[in-house]
Amino acid sequence: TDKRLHRAGKGMVLTNEDGMMTYVIESSPPPPPPPLHAEFQTLLWAMKSSIQFDHCTMNFKTDCLQLVKLFEEDEKDNWPSMLAEFD
């Protein structure tokens, strides 16, 4: 198999108060994690990166409804496979 097909990528767009945008993209080594794990890991990466860029106020957006529900429920016990990400 072609190893290039087994890669995952993540990205974010940072916008400052003046509307200036910074695009950050990173490729993950194979094998890619399961989709929900990848979404969660990308959110954590975006949060950590935002702090490193000295952003004080942040809003995060995602198109992953399952990830949104995970946070809305606030019940880690319902998601045992995600405990590593929560930690």
Side-chain angles (χ1 to χ4, degrees):
T1 62
D2 187 343
K3 290 185 180 183
R4 291 177 293 166
L5 298 177
H6 298 286
R7 296 186 70 91
K10 54 189 168 194
M12 67 177 159
V13 177
L14 302 171
T15 308
N16 68 11
E17 301 83 23
D18 299 326
M20 298 283 294
M21 292 185 181
T22 303
Y23 300 90
V24 182
I25 299 170
E26 183 176 278
S27 178
S28 300
L36 184 57
H37 290 261
E39 292 282 347
F40 201 150
Q41 289 171 6
T42 299
L43 177 61
L44 294 173
W45 169 74
M47 290 175 172
K48 291 175 187 176
S49 297
S50 296
I51 292 168
Q52 290 176 342
F53 284 118
D54 291 328
H55 286 249
C56 298
T57 304
M58 296 165 258
N59 294 306
F60 297 93
K61 298 179 183 182
T62 180
D63 62 352
C64 181
L65 184 58
Q66 196 174 12
L67 184 63
V68 172
K69 287 182 179 183
L70 177 94
F71 288 108
E72 286 176 345
E73 288 180 8
D74 198 30
E75 295 287 333
K76 292 185 222 175
D77 295 336
N78 292 343
W79 300 87
S81 66
M82 303 300 288
L83 288 178
E85 281 83 356
F86 273 111
D87 287 342

